[in-house]
Amino acid sequence: MLAYVIRRVFMSIPILFGSTILVFLIVKFSGDPLEGLKLRNPPPPPQTILNEERRLRLDQPLWEQYWLWLKNLVLHGDFGPSVHSNMNIGNELGDRLLVTLRLVLVSVLIALIFAVITGVVSAVKQYSVTDYSFTFLGFLFLAMPSFWFAILLKSAGIAYNQATGTQTFFTIGDKSPFLVDDSAWGNIKDIAGHMVLPTIALGLISYAAWSRFQRAAMLEVLNSDYVRLARAKGLRSRQVLVRHALRTALIPLTTVTALDIAALLGGAVITERVFQWHGLGEFLLTSIAGRDAYAMMGWLLVSAIIVIIFNLIADLMYSVLDPRIRYE
């Protein structure tokens, strides 16, 4: 297993290197970072534009820009200069990454738990009222656009707060700017309160698709020969379901979850925008609006790293879920 992990990590290096080239080219050909400065009225002095071009390395050949960016990133952790001279892209990404990761990870965890439970129950009680109810809910959430569902939840939270005269649901920001209880427990409660609605908005969309995958995988496993043999040997239904069927049926869901991480990060951008979170989503939208090339490259590179890590975790989970899988 250790040899497999090391091999997979080394295999991820060329993938990550290729992603840096792709990210660099996409951003560099997306527009001029100094367009806003050049279109100002009255126009800035030519020397100011030349100084900004030199600071942003726009006066150098494309290959040299890429080499300097990659070298400084690998050796010094420097993501490059921002169009805002007072902003450190690395520090900004680090702070916002923590905000977004807690939203994505909690959403994934909740979505997986509900997807597994409802998927298994639907498969065991196939064509029952329960199965049809879960299927209806799954298709309902699948049909909802993530931005519309997030706005709907936010409006419902505001309406409930106004009707009850309380602050039950937090609808703006990832935390309160001023806290009465500034202790560790008070901060945890405040952060958890702000996570309720965004987590539901992001998690339910993923849950809908994952529960369908889990139901289909569970039905296939329950009809397999080795499960019939286990039942014929007299094993208890619960033991057959949990120990023999569920572990194997979780493998397709593991693959789908790893592949959907990129989509979840995209959904987090929309969710953070609706609830005005100061995470990676706001950072990306601000960078695109300001044509901040190195900031956009940093966001895309961080997203690529997250996707690679989750796919590596999924590969490692295969041997845990199914003892028949061995990596030599």
Side-chain angles (χ1 to χ4, degrees):
M1 175 64 76
L2 180 60
Y4 170 76
V5 173
I6 296 174
R7 193 161 61 245
R8 284 291 297 167
V9 170
F10 278 104
M11 287 175 60
S12 300
I13 293 176
I15 297 174
L16 187 59
F17 176 72
S19 68
T20 62
I21 298 175
L22 187 61
V23 163
F24 181 83
L25 293 176
I26 290 174
V27 173
K28 280 300 178 179
F29 288 108
S30 63
D32 183 7
L34 296 180
E35 183 178 358
L37 180 63
K38 294 176 182 178
L39 294 177
R40 283 184 183 177
N41 191 13
Q47 187 61 41
T48 301
I49 296 178
L50 290 175
N51 291 338
E52 282 298 295
E53 288 180 345
R54 191 177 300 112
R55 187 179 68 85
L56 297 176
R57 305 169 188 165
L58 299 176
D59 58 336
Q60 300 171 357
L62 200 62
W63 67 267
E64 191 170 347
Q65 293 181 44
Y66 172 75
W67 169 246
L68 286 174
W69 174 63
L70 186 62
K71 182 183 71 173
N72 291 333
L73 181 63
V74 174
L75 297 180
H76 308 292
D78 181 10
F79 283 84
S82 169
V83 294
H84 308 287
S85 57
N86 60 342
M87 185 177 80
N88 186 298
I89 296 176
N91 293 341
E92 196 74 16
L93 280 171
D95 294 338
R96 293 172 180 269
L97 178 62
L98 296 176
V99 175
T100 299
L101 273 185
R102 71 170 181 245
L103 172 62
V104 171
L105 292 178
V106 174
S107 300
V108 168
L109 181 62
I110 293 176
L112 281 176
I113 292 174
F114 281 99
V116 170
I117 293 174
T118 57
V120 171
V121 172
S122 293
V124 173
K125 298 184 176 182
Q126 187 181 16
Y127 303 135
S128 65
V129 175
T130 303
D131 182 26
Y132 287 130
S133 300
F134 285 142
T135 300
F136 172 76
L137 289 175
F139 285 124
L140 179 64
F141 290 126
L142 275 174
M144 288 184 180
S146 56
F147 71 92
W148 182 82
F149 187 45
I151 293 173
L152 187 66
L153 280 177
K154 183 176 181 178
S155 300
I158 293 174
Y160 181 87
N161 290 340
Q162 291 176 346
T164 58
T166 61
Q167 187 64 39
T168 305
F169 296 105
F170 295 92
T171 56
I172 296 178
D174 54 283
K175 61 182 180 180
S176 300
F178 305 103
L179 283 178
V180 178
D181 183 7
D182 198 21
S183 62
W185 178 243
N187 279 279
I188 291 174
K189 288 195 299 182
D190 180 68
I191 291 174
H194 283 83
M195 287 183 64
V196 173
L197 294 181
T199 301
I200 294 174
L202 189 60
L204 282 182
I205 302 298
S206 302
Y207 149 79
W210 294 349
S211 64
R212 298 296 89 203
F213 276 104
Q214 183 61 31
R215 178 184 182 274
M218 198 68 187
L219 284 174
E220 182 179 356
V221 173
L222 288 175
N223 293 322
S224 61
D225 293 336
Y226 78 92
V227 171
R228 292 195 186 98
L229 176 61
R231 287 171 173 166
K233 289 169 62 177
L235 295 179
R236 291 179 300 174
S237 298
R238 183 177 180 181
Q239 186 177 4
V240 173
L241 184 65
V242 176
R243 186 174 180 181
H244 297 278
L246 180 58
R247 290 180 64 178
T248 305
L250 285 174
I251 293 178
L253 182 61
T254 303
T255 304
V256 171
T257 303
L259 294 176
D260 281 352
I261 291 301
L264 276 171
L265 290 173
V269 172
I270 299 172
T271 305
E272 288 180 2
R273 180 68 173 176
V274 172
F275 290 96
Q276 300 177 35
W277 275 40
H278 303 300
L280 288 178
E282 182 189 51
F283 181 82
L284 175 65
L285 295 176
T286 304
S287 302
I288 293 175
R291 301 207 174 187
D292 197 341
Y294 288 101
M296 286 189 280
M297 287 190 289
W299 189 95
L300 291 170
L301 187 59
V302 169
S303 300
I305 293 173
I306 293 174
V307 171
I308 290 172
I309 290 174
F310 269 89
N311 278 273
L312 178 60
I313 294 173
D315 287 341
L316 299 179
M317 286 294 295
Y318 293 151
S319 61
V320 176
L321 294 172
D322 193 342
R324 296 173 298 177
I325 300 176
R326 288 292 181 265
Y327 299 107
E328 299 297 338

